[in-house]
Amino acid sequence: MRCELLDYELPEALIASRPPEERDGARLLLIDRGRSDREVEHAAIRDLDRYVERGALVVVNDTRVVPARLFGNKRGTGGQVELFLLHRLDEAPDGGDDLAGPSEGAARPERWRAMGRASKPIRPGAVLDLGRDGALLAEVLERAEDGVLTVQLSSPAGLSVAAAIDAYGHIPLPPYLGRGDDASDRERYQTIFARVPGAVAAPTAGLHLSPALVERLRANGVEIASVTLHVGLGTFQPVTVDDLDVHPMHVEVYSVPEATAAAVARARERGAPVVAVGTTVVRALETAADPARVGLVRAQSGETRLLIQPGYHFRVVDALLTNFHLPRSTLLALVFAFAGRERTLRAYRAAIDAGYRFYSYGDAMLIRGASAP
């Protein structure tokens, strides 16, 4: 796919800098891929239970956003520094399903990949005082050619590294929001399913689901299952190559548990659709698609570099709830693949004309129906 085909014009005023007052208070644009007479319909997220088929399987992402932005000073010089945690390199202490993020446990050091920003380059051997009263230290072990750092985090105050990060870190809001985080983002930039720490960005479609909405879905016979995909910083990287085929797709850690594989199998048995809440769920499910059994997934964990663009054949996902995405992004390419490029762009134009709010804290669209052309 040519990069210029991922462009569209968005008025800056439509970028949502704050979430709606109520978690399920966003607007919802409906796209039916199986109908040409009425492709777009305007609705509300709080009425989602009316539009998800009875008995459907709704799959959510249970990743939890790490407060990955840390501020402090270089020891010895006092120079100000910012450290942005990318992913953890060590195994979780209990060997459990904490694939990429901090975990509670003994106060032992942890190694992380991170990006650093300071007035001068941050070199190996530097020690960074983060937080207050030396509660969190970062020793720089390595600096890669691309500037990414390997750091060892420790807490001389006796806290676990996870507790220190949680106490002194800031929620890493996307830069296009044009503001720093505040206390409300600690809750609103997490989904109600957030369980496994490791993401540096929220799976934003899931932000719309409230406990009351989930209960209404369940009352309508909808089954809820989860996957884990730790959203990485690469999700915001624009496509800069001319041909999407040569875009260096970012790696994200994922897990599809046995319970979710079984839930997909049950949905197939009852002839019900699999509804992905967000592009991250799509990538996890499609990565785990069983090559020997059409429509099913295998329970598995690992890393995915799956790049979905027009021409991709979806093997698991039948419907998609998703936010409105940045131009020239792999997320938009995925939506093009699912709904068709022209249909998606018509829907985006309809949303812009109707004043929908875009991006992470914005409104959403539900794409249902037959396969994309």
Side-chain angles (χ1 to χ4, degrees), residues 86 113-116 121-124 140-151:
L86 297 177
R113 290 273 193 265
M115 296 191 307
I122 304 172
R123 305 293 185 188
V140 181
L141 304 178
E142 297 176 3
R143 180 185 175 94
E145 290 185 5
D146 59 2
V148 174
L149 307 174
T150 300
V151 301

Side-chain angles (χ1 to χ4, degrees), residues 136-372:
L136 184 62
L137 297 181
E139 180 184 355
V140 181
L141 304 178
E142 297 176 3
R143 180 185 175 94
E145 290 185 5
D146 59 2
V148 174
L149 307 174
T150 300
V151 301
Q152 180 169 279
L153 299 179
S154 60
S155 177
L159 298 173
S160 69
V161 170
I165 291 172
D166 189 63
Y168 300 110
H170 291 257
I171 295 295
L173 295 181
Y176 52 69
L177 294 190
R179 66 177 180 87
D181 67 313
D182 59 30
S184 67
D185 295 307
R186 283 262 171 167
E187 176 194 1
R188 295 304 301 275
Y189 200 59
Q190 303 280 10
T191 72
I192 64 171
F193 311 101
R195 184 182 63 87
V196 186
V200 299
T204 55
L207 297 178
H208 298 294
L209 301 189
S210 67
L213 177 54
V214 169
E215 286 307 307
R216 291 199 299 274
L217 286 167
R218 286 191 168 120
N220 201 31
V222 171
E223 187 174 3
I224 309 292
S226 65
V227 298
T228 304
L229 187 139
H230 292 313
V231 189
L233 196 62
T235 194
F236 297 116
Q237 292 177 344
V239 177
T240 57
V241 295
D242 293 332
D243 187 342
L244 196 57
D245 283 342
V246 296
H247 173 70
M249 191 63 180
H250 54 283
V251 174
E252 289 174 323
V253 176
Y254 78 97
S255 177
V256 177
E258 291 280 0
T260 298
V264 172
R266 289 193 297 272
R268 297 307 179 205
E269 289 174 359
R270 61 180 181 265
V274 174
V275 183
V277 178
T279 57
T280 62
V281 172
V282 174
R283 292 186 69 221
L285 290 177
E286 294 293 325
T287 297
D290 191 331
R293 300 180 298 165
V294 177
L296 301 182
V297 298
R298 297 181 296 186
Q300 60 186 52
S301 301
E303 295 180 341
T304 180
R305 288 183 179 270
L306 180 61
L307 171 59
I308 297 177
Q309 59 178 307
Y312 178 86
H313 175 66
F314 288 87
R315 296 173 290 175
V316 181
V317 176
D318 304 304
L320 171 62
L321 177 70
T322 185
N323 279 23
F324 295 93
H325 299 294
L326 292 160
R328 296 203 173 213
S329 67
T330 57
L331 305 182
L332 185 59
L334 185 154
V335 177
F336 282 179
F338 194 75
R341 177 178 177 271
E342 293 304 319
R343 180 180 287 119
T344 301
L345 289 177
R346 288 194 298 271
Y348 271 49
R349 285 193 289 270
I352 290 169
D353 290 344
Y356 276 59
R357 290 152 42 93
F358 276 60
Y359 303 161
S360 295
Y361 273 149
D363 297 313
M365 57 196 299
L366 176 64
I367 308 169
R368 307 171 297 172
S371 298

Side-chain angles (χ1 to χ4, degrees), residues 102-120:
S103 63
E104 299 295 341
R108 68 175 193 173
E110 295 179 3
R111 292 184 310 124
W112 284 73
R113 290 273 193 265
M115 296 191 307
R117 184 164 61 180
S119 59
K120 295 181 180 180

